Amino acid sequence: MDFSAKKFVMEKDYPLSRETVWNLLSDTDRLNRIIGLFSVKFKPANQLPGKTFYREALAKVGGIVPLIWKEYPFQWDKYENYMVERAYEGGPLKHFRGGVELEDTDVILPDGSNGTKVRLIGEFTPRNILGIGAVQFTGVQSMKNTMKYVDDYLEAIQAEKPLPSDISPKVKINLDQLSILEEKLASMPVNPTYIEKLHQFLSTSDSSDVSKMRPIYLAKKWNVDELEVIRLFLYATKVGVMNLSWNLICPNCRVSKVEYSSLKSLEQQFHCDLCGINYNANFGKYVELNFSVHPAVRVAYDNVYCVGGPMISPHVHIQQVIERGQRFELKIPQKPNDFRVRILQANHVLELEAFNTTSSEPIVVDYVDEGFTQEEVRFSEGMNTMQIVNSSSADIVLVLEKKEWNSDVLTAAQVTSMQEFRDLFSSEVLSRGQQVGIENVTILFSDLLGSTSLYELVGDADAYGQVRRHFEFLTEWIAKNSGGVVKTIGDAVMAVFHMPEDALKAAIQIQQHVTDFNKGRRDPIVLKIGLYSGPAIAVNSNDRLDYFGRTVNIAARIQGQSEGNDIVFNEEYLSNESILSLLTKSHATLEPFHANLKGIDENMKLVRIRVSK
C-alpha cells in the first residue's frame, strides 16, 4: 500500500533581522541537537552515475530503532531559504523534503532592518501505518520545536537572559579542578579578565562549542584583542585547561576533514570525499589549530547531528542542484569580483568580474563535462542575474562562494611563528623527514657588525655573555610583535613572522631600543637586519620546527646587505599599506638600491631604512 506525501507549513513573524534568523536556523547541527533530534553517523560521500552525490546516514531513534537514509546536498540561497532531501531505506518513513524560507515583514527594527517571516516546510512520505504516527510525533513536533527555538531566542534577548543552549544540569563541570588550573593560569602573562571570560564560556557553553574552540572567533565575540586570546589559549593548554589538535581543511569546501593530536602525526596528503581530490597539507591555509576543553575539567560530547547545512560552509552564498539539461538563473552578487562559481566534486571554476560596459545582453554560460565553456564572466553595472545551463551528462551541484578565506581560522603558519608557542610547545614539531609547505612567511635575519673584533677586545667569556644578552634582547622584541626565534647561528638570529608588517615593526623597535641595550657597555653592539617574505618549507631540524627554501636564503643574503644600524628589505614591501603606515609613523628615511645577491640570479630591488632612536 502506497501512502501519499503529507505537507506541513508553519509561519510566524518575528521582530528579528533576516540575518539573525538565518544564523540561528542555518546552523543545522546545533539546531537539530537543541530541538531534540538524534545524533547521526555519516559515511563518506557517494554517487550514482549521472546523479548528484549523497551521504548515507545512520541514526537510532530513541537510541534503539535504527534509521538509515540517503541525504542529498542541502540547497540554499543565503538569508533567503534552504532545503534538504532524504530518501529512507526501510523504517516508518520513505521520503522527506523540507527546509526554511525567510521573508521581510513590514515591521521596521531599531537598526533600520525589517522584521522576518519564518516559514517552515516539511513534506513527509510515510512507508507504513507507523510512518503516519512518526510524521506527527517526530516530524511535525520537530517543526514546532524549531519555531520554539526562535521564540526562546527572542525571549532571551528581550529579557537579556542567556541564549538557548543544549547545556543541561546533567553536564558535570569540575569547578574545583577548573579553579586550581585557573590559579596556575593567573600566574602566567595573560589578562585576568580574559581568564574570567574563558571560565564563563567553559561553564555555560554547549558541548559542541567547548569541543571545537577557535580563539580568533571568540576574541571577536568577546570584542577583545585577538593575539591576547591566542596567548590565553596557549597558556591554558599548557596548564591543563584545554587540549589542542591540528585539523586539515580542504582548500575547496573549506571543511575540516582530518584531526591530529600532534604535528608529528600530521600526514602530508589528505583526501576530501566531498571534493574527491587529494591535497597536500599547507601551514598557511589548510592546517588549523583547534582547542577543546580538557576532560578533567568537563566532559564534552562532540556528537554530529548534521554535516551539510549552510553554516558548515558559511563562505557559500548559494548552493543549487542543477539537473541534466536544466537552466538555472543565478543571482549576481553586489561585488562579483569577491566571488566565484564552482561545481562541487568536479571543482570546475567560473571567475566573475565587474566590467565597465553598456552591454545589456543576457549572460548565458554552458557547463559541459569538461567544465565551463568560458573561464570568466564580465558583468556590466545593473546586471542582476545570469543563466547557467547544465549541458553535461550528469546532475551537478553549483555553488556561489566567496574567494576570501575565513578570518577566524588560527593557522599553523600563524601560531608556529609565535614565540610563546615555540617556548611552551617545543615538542610540537613535524616528524623527521616530513615537509609541509607554507604559502607565505616572513623571515628576519640579524647579525652583529664587527663581532670578530668584539671577541678580540673583551675576550671570549665577556663577548659570549654579551652575545647571549643580545639574543635575549632580540627575542623580547620579536615575541612582542608576534614573531618567534627559530634558531641562532653564531652571532646571528633567524626569526619567523606570519605577517611582514609584524617583522618590520619588530626590526624597527629593535633598532630604536638598541641604544638602551648599549647603555653602560664599554663595547656597544651594532645590529644588521634583513627581511624577506615568500613561500617556504617547514621541517623538523634537530627536533625543532625550522624553515628552508629560497625565501630563507634570500632573507639571509638581504641581511648581508645591511651596513649596521639599518634595516634592509625587498622593494615590494612598499606596496603594503600597513608597512607604508608603519614607515610613516617611525619617521624612517628610505634609501632604494639594487644588489646582486650571492646565489640569486635576479638583480634585487632593495630598500634600506634608518630609524630615529
Side-chain angles (χ1 to χ4, degrees):
M1 179 179 179
D2 291 333
F3 291 83
S4 59
K6 305 287 185 181
K7 185 173 182 179
F8 300 87
V9 178
M10 297 181 185
E11 291 184 351
K12 191 169 182 178
D13 292 353
Y14 290 95
L16 297 168
S17 70
R18 212 192 287 197
E19 182 177 357
T20 298
V21 178
W22 176 264
N23 290 337
L24 275 177
L25 299 183
S26 67
D27 189 352
T28 50
D29 184 69
R30 180 188 297 273
L31 173 65
N32 291 353
R33 181 172 58 253
I34 291 178
I35 67 175
L37 292 181
F38 26 75
S39 61
V40 185
K41 291 184 179 179
F42 289 92
K43 291 186 177 181
N46 204 342
Q47 191 170 12
L48 295 174
K51 298 294 183 180
T52 60
F53 64 88
Y54 66 89
R55 287 188 176 93
E56 188 174 283
L58 171 64
K60 288 188 177 181
V61 181
I64 301 174
V65 181
L67 198 61
I68 301 173
W69 69 89
K70 288 184 175 71
E71 181 158 308
Y72 295 97
F74 271 73
Q75 300 182 70
W76 69 83
D77 187 340
K78 196 169 187 177
Y79 307 127
E80 299 280 345
N81 57 72
Y82 70 78
M83 183 275 292
V84 67
E85 181 178 357
R86 295 168 181 158
Y88 293 87
E89 300 178 3
L93 292 179
K94 186 176 182 180
H95 188 267
F96 166 76
R97 188 176 188 274
V100 174
E101 294 178 354
L102 305 180
E103 295 178 4
D104 287 344
T105 67
D106 294 333
V107 175
I108 304 300
L109 305 179
D111 64 358
S113 62
N114 293 83
T116 304
K117 179 186 291 294
V118 177
R119 181 180 299 111
L120 305 182
I121 302 170
E123 186 176 285
F124 305 87
T125 304
R127 187 182 301 276
N128 47 42
I129 296 295
L130 289 176
I132 296 175
V135 169
Q136 289 293 333
F137 290 109
T138 301
V140 175
Q141 186 59 48
S142 295
M143 294 173 69
K144 292 178 180 178
N145 291 344
T146 298
M147 207 67 87
K148 184 179 182 299
Y149 175 47
V150 186
D151 291 338
D152 291 343
Y153 176 87
L154 178 61
E155 180 185 348
I157 62 171
Q158 288 177 338
E160 297 183 350
K161 297 192 304 184
L163 300 178
S165 170
D166 71 342
I167 191 167
S168 71
K170 295 180 181 178
V171 175
K172 291 186 178 181
I173 301 173
N174 191 336
L175 293 176
D176 291 338
Q177 178 68 9
L178 181 57
S179 296
I180 293 171
L181 296 175
E182 285 174 343
E183 286 183 13
K184 293 182 180 180
L185 188 57
S187 66
M188 306 289 182
V190 295
N191 190 322
T193 60
Y194 290 11
I195 299 177
E196 295 174 10
K197 290 181 180 295
L198 180 61
H199 178 100
Q200 181 72 10
F201 183 78
L202 294 178
S203 303
T204 61
S205 300
D206 62 38
S207 285
S208 65
D209 287 336
V210 297
S211 62
K212 294 179 181 177
M213 290 182 280
R214 283 177 160 173
I216 296 178
Y217 167 79
L218 287 176
K220 292 176 180 177
K221 183 177 179 180
W222 296 341
N223 195 28
V224 295
D225 184 83
E226 293 179 11
L227 186 58
E228 292 304 316
V229 175
I230 295 172
R231 289 190 172 113
L232 167 72
F233 272 64
L234 293 177
Y235 284 106
T237 302
K238 191 64 178 178
V239 302
V241 176
M242 301 180 194
N243 287 330
L244 60 78
S245 64
W246 303 92
N247 289 24
L248 294 181
I249 302 173
C250 172
N252 269 351
C253 61
R254 308 179 196 178
V255 174
S256 175
K257 294 297 175 181
V258 189
E259 180 178 294
Y260 297 99
S261 60
S262 72
L263 282 178
K264 285 184 178 178
S265 56
L266 188 73
E267 295 183 6
Q268 190 161 350
Q269 274 204 341
F270 66 103
H271 178 76
C272 175
D273 64 296
L274 178 62
C275 298
I277 299 178
N278 291 328
Y279 296 98
N280 289 325
N282 183 292
F283 267 16
K285 283 186 178 179
Y286 312 150
V287 183
E288 176 188 12
L289 180 60
N290 262 333
F291 297 85
S292 60
V293 64
H294 196 287
V297 173
R298 173 185 169 183
V299 177
Y301 300 98
D302 188 21
N303 294 332
V304 175
Y305 293 79
C306 183
V307 297
M311 197 58 75
I312 299 293
S313 305
H315 65 289
V316 174
H317 282 225
I318 294 175
Q319 180 162 301
Q320 178 69 37
V321 174
I322 309 178
E323 297 179 358
R324 284 173 289 182
Q326 185 180 2
R327 182 183 295 255
F328 173 67
E329 191 166 77
L330 178 67
K331 290 190 300 186
I332 299 172
Q334 288 186 346
K335 297 181 179 179
N337 291 19
D338 296 340
F339 291 81
R340 68 176 187 175
V341 174
R342 182 169 59 89
I343 304 301
L344 295 189
Q345 293 203 311
N347 298 309
H348 295 140
V349 172
L350 177 67
E351 297 292 344
L352 308 181
E353 183 180 350
F355 192 68
N356 187 17
T357 176
T358 57
S359 174
S360 58
E361 289 292 320
I363 297 176
V364 180
V365 178
D366 251 10
Y367 178 78
V368 296
D369 289 336
E370 293 76 22
F372 291 101
T373 53
Q374 56 195 83
E375 293 182 357
E376 68 174 13
V377 175
R378 293 184 171 186
F379 302 100
S380 62
E381 187 176 351
M383 285 187 173
N384 299 316
T385 61
M386 62 178 289
Q387 293 186 346
I388 305 289
V389 179
N390 181 11
S391 300
S392 72
S393 60
D395 299 344
I396 60 174
V397 182
L398 174 145
V399 298
L400 175 71
E401 62 185 0
K402 271 201 155 188
K403 295 178 183 178
E404 184 181 7
W405 272 67
N406 186 353
S407 60
D408 295 340
V409 172
L410 176 57
T411 64
Q414 180 177 354
V415 73
T416 55
S417 66
M418 294 176 61
Q419 190 65 46
E420 285 91 346
F421 178 84
R422 301 181 76 90
D423 290 341
L424 295 172
F425 303 98
S426 57
S427 62
E428 276 293 326
V429 295
L430 296 167
S431 61
R432 294 183 182 275
Q434 174 73 296
Q435 298 182 1
V436 178
I438 306 177
E439 287 184 346
N440 197 74
V441 69
T442 298
I443 301 295
L444 177 152
F445 271 98
S446 75
D447 201 2
L448 291 175
L449 181 66
S451 59
T452 303
S453 60
L454 175 65
Y455 281 87
E456 292 293 331
L457 288 171
V458 303
D460 288 348
D462 286 348
Y464 178 74
Q466 188 161 327
V467 168
R468 294 301 304 172
R469 287 189 291 274
H470 124 273
F471 285 156
E472 294 169 1
F473 164 73
L474 291 174
T475 301
E476 176 186 356
W477 290 106
I478 288 168
K480 282 182 177 179
N481 291 283
S482 306
V485 173
V486 178
K487 59 188 174 184
T488 59
I489 311 164
D491 305 324
V493 167
M494 173 183 168
V496 61
F497 293 83
H498 181 54
M499 303 297 290
E501 52 265 39
D502 290 335
L504 181 58
K505 188 177 179 182
I508 289 172
Q509 291 177 346
I510 287 169
Q511 293 292 25
Q512 287 176 332
H513 290 86
V514 73
T515 302
D516 295 333
F517 176 81
N518 283 328
K519 281 182 180 177
R521 301 186 188 279
R522 187 168 46 129
D523 300 290
I525 65 169
V526 176
L527 285 169
K528 302 164 57 182
I529 299 178
L531 310 173
Y532 190 72
S533 302
I537 300 295
V539 300
N540 178 338
S541 177
N542 298 320
D543 292 326
R544 178 184 61 236
L545 199 61
D546 205 343
Y547 303 85
F548 286 91
R550 185 172 184 270
T551 295
V552 178
N553 293 335
I554 292 178
R557 299 289 186 264
I558 288 178
Q559 180 272 128
Q561 295 295 314
S562 172
E563 298 173 346
N565 290 322
D566 60 352
I567 303 162
V568 181
F569 51 80
N570 189 3
E571 186 185 61
E572 291 180 4
Y573 276 23
L574 299 182
S575 61
N576 183 318
E577 291 185 7
S578 297
I579 285 179
L580 287 176
S581 175
L582 183 60
L583 293 172
T584 301
K585 291 177 182 178
S586 63
H587 305 289
T589 57
L590 279 63
E591 303 173 12
F593 67 101
H594 290 69
N596 291 311
L597 305 182
K598 184 179 178 181
I600 308 298
D601 292 337
E602 61 186 298
N603 184 267
M604 298 285 292
K605 296 180 180 180
L606 303 176
V607 177
R608 184 190 320 280
I609 67 167
R610 304 182 193 274
V611 294
S612 56
K613 300 182 180 181

